[in-house]
Amino acid sequence: MNQKFNMIRRMLAAFVLFAGILGFSSCEKYTFIPPVADPDATYYFQADIQPILTANCASCHDGTPVVDLRDGTSFAALTKGKFITAPAETSKLYSKLTGGSHATKATDAEKAKILKWINDGALNN
């Protein structure tokens, strides 16, 4: 009886091991390429950037002493607080959007727009 039990246990362990190896080896690996902003596009603060800030940031940053991202005050707050500086990848605004608790707020496409806008000079247009 003990031998039968041990044989069943070994067969079950071998089956689980085989199924696990088979399951993990069948997984395909996909490469995710984040969207990039159109290199030929011009992004405008009022038309392109402010809607991103309004949708993702202004609900928390609505008159706070750190940075007020409401429409009409956001550009001044961003420039006064030195959030938009070159190079864009290391600017405070882009760093906040891509790291920490703020990273999940904006989509990758929105982050790419902001990065391109900063690289293009971050104009209040």
Side-chain angles (χ1 to χ4, degrees):
M1 182 74 132
N2 226 0
Q3 285 179 332
K4 230 182 209 183
F5 180 70
N6 283 337
M7 189 170 99
I8 292 172
R9 212 168 86 188
R10 284 186 204 146
M11 287 177 64
L12 183 61
F15 176 76
V16 168
L17 181 63
F18 178 72
I21 291 171
L22 187 64
F24 283 116
S25 66
S26 68
C27 293
E28 294 183 32
K29 294 181 182 176
Y30 294 99
T31 303
F32 174 73
I33 300 172
V36 294
D38 181 1
D40 299 326
T42 300
Y43 295 107
Y44 298 94
F45 184 74
Q46 284 301 317
D48 301 306
I49 306 305
Q50 184 60 53
I52 296 169
L53 298 175
T54 300
N56 298 296
C57 311
S59 63
C60 293
H61 297 281
D62 58 349
T64 59
V66 177
V67 62
D68 184 357
L69 297 178
R70 294 176 294 177
D71 193 7
T73 60
S74 58
F75 186 80
L78 289 170
T79 54
K80 182 180 177 184
K82 298 182 180 173
F83 282 87
I84 44 178
T85 57
E89 291 81 5
T90 60
S91 70
K92 280 187 195 178
L93 177 60
Y94 189 72
S95 296
K96 292 284 186 185
L97 288 173
T98 57
S101 62
H102 294 83
T104 59
K105 303 275 185 202
T107 66
D108 288 337
E110 291 170 334
K111 292 173 190 175
K113 279 185 185 180
I114 290 173
L115 181 68
K116 172 96 169 66
W117 172 72
I118 296 172
N119 279 329
D120 288 347
L123 301 175
N124 186 11
N125 48 9

